[in-house]
Amino acid sequence: KSGLWAGGIIGPYFFKNDDGEKITFNGGPYHAMITYYIMPEIKARDLGDIWFQQDGSTSHTSHQSMDLLREHFGEQIISRFGPVDWPPRS
């Protein structure tokens, strides 16, 4: 995963376990990535007033993931089941 904004790129981020092996991507690792990687990167770049956009994959739109995003971005989310809907097949 990676993030883009007018000033550059955040990432890439690779989902691996403690042994460096690839892991199954689901809501848990996605939640951890947002909490421990994305949010510190956003704060380090002083990007306080940004919109978060993601596609409609199940891991992105789980209740756990969406609750976390709402906590950090409020109504500034473009996502399936978000305040601004991500159109299917877009």
Side-chain angles (χ1 to χ4, degrees):
K1 298 288 182 183
S2 61
L4 305 170
W5 87 101
I9 299 172
I10 296 175
Y13 182 89
F14 299 97
F15 292 90
K16 297 181 179 183
N17 65 16
D18 292 338
D19 296 326
E21 300 165 334
K22 295 177 191 175
I23 60 171
T24 300
F25 178 76
N26 59 34
Y30 187 65
H31 188 277
M33 180 203 55
I34 292 168
T35 302
Y36 301 112
Y37 181 72
I38 295 294
M39 292 314 301
E41 291 289 325
I42 288 171
K43 288 178 185 172
R45 289 169 172 79
D46 196 26
L47 302 174
D49 188 31
I50 63 171
W51 284 75
F52 191 92
Q53 181 176 355
Q54 63 182 6
D55 64 23
S57 76
T58 305
S59 57
H60 294 173
T61 58
S62 70
H63 290 291
Q64 179 186 29
S65 297
M66 292 303 295
D67 289 347
L68 177 65
L69 292 174
R70 284 185 190 99
E71 176 184 326
H72 289 289
F73 299 99
E75 296 293 308
Q76 293 182 199
I77 304 166
I78 301 168
S79 173
R80 183 174 175 220
F81 306 127
V84 178
D85 196 33
W86 175 270
R89 296 174 293 285
S90 62

